[in-house]
Amino acid sequence: MFPGLTFILGGAASGKSEFAEALAESCGLAKHYLATSEALDGEMSEKIKRHRARRGADWTTHEAPLDVEPVLARFNHDCVCLFDCATLWLGNQMMAERDLEDRQSLLIAALTACRAPVIVVSNEVGQGIVPADPMSRRFREAQGRLNIALAREADLAVQVVAGLPLVLKGQLP
């Protein structure tokens, strides 16, 4: 049985997206990719291009940098959704000056109500140094709270370090 909500956590370039993609591939359902990043510069454009090429043509991509809830509401039991990533989604919410507690509540409600299995990828940003500026500290705290909420709701939580998965909660399918 594939988990209803899977939470994949890791540092930058840890292999978390590749692990999440492989997990989605393993379930045998139609694959949907819920993208939260925007190609605002050349580096991000190249990263998006690499991610799309790695996934291949059998994925349906939905771009939703801010409002993911309507997209999640459209999915049914016959597909899996990979939401990549919660960290960029949170940054987008901050830059749009939205109420982060309210947006987090709406996101968690949408994830738990989604009829399809959802795999959420997120970054661990709290294991480094304390950021020097208030906005970065606010983001780090908000990301920590979001990750805690996601892990609490998840049926399966996995931390990926150096490409290696460590199951924190639940069992891999």
Side-chain angles (χ1 to χ4, degrees), residues 46-147:
E46 284 303 312
K47 183 175 183 176
I48 290 169
K49 192 184 302 182
R50 285 191 313 272
H51 275 237
R52 282 182 186 252
R54 186 179 65 222
R55 284 194 308 272
D58 61 338
W59 287 76
T60 302
T61 300
H62 308 266
E63 295 179 0
L66 289 168
D67 298 317
V68 299
E69 300 84 8
V71 179
L72 290 166
R74 293 195 309 250
F75 298 132
N76 287 310
H77 298 285
D78 61 347
C79 68
V80 61
C81 172
L82 173 51
F83 173 23
D84 196 357
C85 81
T87 305
L88 285 172
W89 173 87
L90 181 64
N92 295 341
Q93 302 300 321
M94 273 188 80
M95 298 311 291
E97 298 182 358
R98 291 185 167 185
D99 182 298
L100 298 183
E101 286 185 38
D102 180 56
R103 297 305 302 166
Q104 177 177 310
S105 294
L106 291 171
L107 174 64
I108 297 296
L111 288 167
T112 57
C114 187
R115 294 177 302 274
V118 181
I119 302 167
V120 179
V121 174
S122 189
N123 285 26
E124 173 52 68
V125 298
Q127 292 182 332
I129 62 172
V130 175
D133 65 277
M135 183 177 185
S136 297
R137 287 191 299 271
R138 182 172 166 241
F139 177 78
R140 182 194 60 172
E141 293 300 317
Q143 183 67 62
R145 285 190 301 277
L146 177 59
N147 286 345

